[in-house]
Coordinates of all heavy atoms in Angstrom, one line a residue:
Chain A
C24 N 25.5 4.2 1.9 CA 24.7 3.0 1.8 C 24.0 2.7 0.5 O 24.0 3.6 -0.4 CB 23.6 3.0 2.9 SG 22.8 4.5 3.2
E30 N 28.5 2.1 -6.0 CA 29.2 2.9 -7.0 C 30.5 3.3 -6.5 O 31.5 3.4 -7.2 CB 28.3 4.1 -7.3 CG 27.2 3.8 -8.2 CD 26.1 4.9 -8.3 OE1 26.4 6.0 -7.8 OE2 25.0 4.6 -8.9
S36 N 37.6 0.5 -6.9 CA 38.2 -0.8 -7.4 C 38.8 -0.6 -8.8 O 39.9 -1.0 -9.1 CB 37.2 -1.9 -7.4 OG 36.7 -2.1 -6.1
S40 N 42.7 -1.0 -9.9 CA 43.1 -2.0 -10.9 C 43.9 -1.3 -12.0 O 44.8 -1.9 -12.6 CB 41.8 -2.6 -11.5 OG 41.0 -3.2 -10.6
D46 N 55.1 -4.3 -6.1 CA 55.2 -4.8 -4.8 C 55.8 -3.9 -3.7 O 56.0 -4.2 -2.6 CB 55.9 -6.2 -4.7 CG 57.4 -6.1 -5.1 OD1 57.8 -4.9 -5.5 OD2 58.1 -7.1 -5.1
S57 N 39.0 -7.1 -0.4 CA 38.4 -6.5 0.7 C 37.3 -5.6 0.3 O 36.1 -5.6 0.8 CB 39.4 -5.7 1.6 OG 40.3 -6.6 2.1
L167 N 45.4 6.2 5.0 CA 45.8 5.6 3.7 C 46.3 4.2 3.9 O 46.7 3.9 5.1 CB 46.9 6.4 3.0 CG 46.7 7.9 2.9 CD1 47.9 8.6 2.2 CD2 45.4 8.2 2.1
H178 N 74.3 -7.5 11.0 CA 75.6 -7.9 11.2 C 75.7 -8.9 12.4 O 74.9 -8.7 13.4 CB 76.5 -6.7 11.6 CG 76.5 -5.7 10.5 ND1 77.4 -5.7 9.5 CD2 75.7 -4.6 10.4 CE1 77.1 -4.6 8.7 NE2 76.1 -4.0 9.2
G285 N 55.0 18.1 0.5 CA 55.5 19.4 0.9 C 57.0 19.4 1.2 O 57.7 18.6 0.8
K299 N 76.5 12.6 9.1 CA 77.9 12.7 9.4 C 78.2 12.3 10.8 O 79.1 11.6 11.1 CB 78.3 14.2 9.1 CG 79.8 14.4 9.0 CD 80.1 15.8 8.7 CE 81.6 16.1 9.0 NZ 81.9 17.5 8.9

Side-chain angles (χ1 to χ4, degrees):
Chain A
C24 41
E30 283 166 10
S36 298
S40 303
D46 64 356
S57 297
L167 309 180
H178 303 273
K299 197 179 165 189

